[in-house]
Amino acid sequence: EVQLVESGGGLIQPGGSLRLSCAASGFTVNTNYMSWVRQAPGKGLEWVSIIYSGGSTYYADSVKGRFTISRDNSKNTLYLQMNSLRAEDTAVYYCARVAYYESSGYLRHDFDIWGQGTMVTVSS
Amino acid sequence: QSALTQPRSVSGSPGQSVTISCTGTSSDVGGYNYVSWYQQHPGKAPKLMIYDVSKRPSGVPDRFSGSKSGNTASLTISGLQAEDEADYYCSSYAGTYLFGGGTKLTVL
């Protein structure tokens, strides 16, 4: 079964650090484009970061310089290292796979597989 | 880049049709055919309903359809059913990924 399972969320003080994990099954993380998307309580979705199959990484301006996306191929797991956390980072964090056209392998620019989410609360 | 603009809420009775709009700019919605729509029930992860403006993933009922005109994309749900009540989000590729603020669909 194709699925993503996040873990690592919790309550953290402002200025603290947290690492989120996203374990994949049914497909290989390092041959796909993978993203993190977050949702603040009662708010909409916000794209956070992406890692390309080739290893390039990109971030939303709101987290640039504080968050780092990475992967461990041996564990087939995606990570999000979050440093210098702020109250406005409080959200459910989802990992998601960027879809691709099966016939060509080209990127489709939508998210076809989502994890269940992990809650991060930044508060003193 | 700003988020895409969606109505806060829409409603319809069972069997009726509703349309949710998603307005962006020529740099996102109008510039790419990479508009997608997601359904999210309370406490659940988003689910892909439409991609590439108007294509449905396998398993999504054909009651769901998408379109685009200029800088505005639309999701139409026909033959409304109770289980369609959810939040709906549009998204557009624009170098990075933009989402709309979400629309709450109420089935009366």
Side-chain angles (χ1 to χ4, degrees), chain A residues 23-73:
Chain A
S25 57
F27 71 97
T28 305
V29 164
N30 70 338
T31 61
N32 282 271
Y33 286 40
M34 299 294 298
S35 250
W36 288 95
V37 176
R38 69 184 180 183
Q39 185 172 34
K43 302 297 184 182
L45 301 171
E46 179 189 15
W47 175 79
V48 172
S49 181
I50 188 169
I51 183 166
Y52 288 4
S53 55
S56 298
T57 58
Y58 299 91
Y59 302 90
D61 288 343
S62 57
V63 306
K64 199 173 296 182
R66 300 187 300 122
F67 289 12
T68 302
I69 190 172
S70 64
R71 65 193 181 205
D72 183 329
N73 299 341

Side-chain angles (χ1 to χ4, degrees), chain A residues 39 94 101 109-111 115, chain B residues 38 40 45 48 51-52 89 97:
Chain A
Q39 185 172 34
Y94 296 99
Y101 299 100
H109 295 299
D110 55 86
F111 305 100
Chain B
Y38 302 86
Q40 186 180 37
L48 178 66
Y51 68 96
D52 288 0
Y89 294 91
Y97 296 90

Side-chain angles (χ1 to χ4, degrees), chain A residues 63-111:
Chain A
V63 306
K64 199 173 296 182
R66 300 187 300 122
F67 289 12
T68 302
I69 190 172
S70 64
R71 65 193 181 205
D72 183 329
N73 299 341
S74 66
K75 296 182 178 179
N76 205 26
T77 298
L78 179 73
Y79 300 102
L80 185 68
Q81 177 67 44
M82 304 184 296
N83 299 331
S84 303
L85 282 162
R86 307 166 180 167
E88 53 265 36
D89 295 319
T90 294
V92 174
Y93 285 74
Y94 296 99
C95 60
R97 185 180 79 171
V98 183
Y100 60 91
Y101 299 100
E102 292 190 3
S103 57
S104 65
Y106 290 145
L107 215 56
R108 237 173 52 186
H109 295 299
D110 55 86
F111 305 100

Side-chain angles (χ1 to χ4, degrees), chain B residues 1-93:
Chain B
Q1 289 164 314
S2 301
L4 307 175
T5 301
Q6 297 181 232
R8 296 282 302 263
S9 64
V10 298
S11 62
S13 299
Q16 289 186 332
S17 294
V18 295
T19 295
I20 300 171
S21 61
C22 171
T23 301
T25 70
S26 58
S27 296
D28 38 69
V29 173
Y32 300 87
N33 285 324
Y34 293 129
V35 175
S36 50
W37 290 90
Y38 302 86
Q39 177 191 66
Q40 186 180 37
H41 288 108
K44 300 295 187 181
K47 175 187 175 184
L48 178 66
M49 304 300 286
I50 295 287
Y51 68 96
D52 288 0
V53 175
S54 60
K55 298 177 182 175
R56 281 187 312 277
S58 174
V60 172
D62 59 7
R63 302 185 295 103
F64 292 83
S65 62
S67 63
K68 188 183 82 167
S69 177
N71 298 335
T72 298
S74 298
L75 172 70
T76 298
I77 309 170
S78 58
L80 269 178
Q81 299 182 4
E83 59 262 36
D84 298 334
E85 185 163 294
D87 293 326
Y88 291 84
Y89 294 91
C90 63
S91 176
S92 175
Y93 177 70

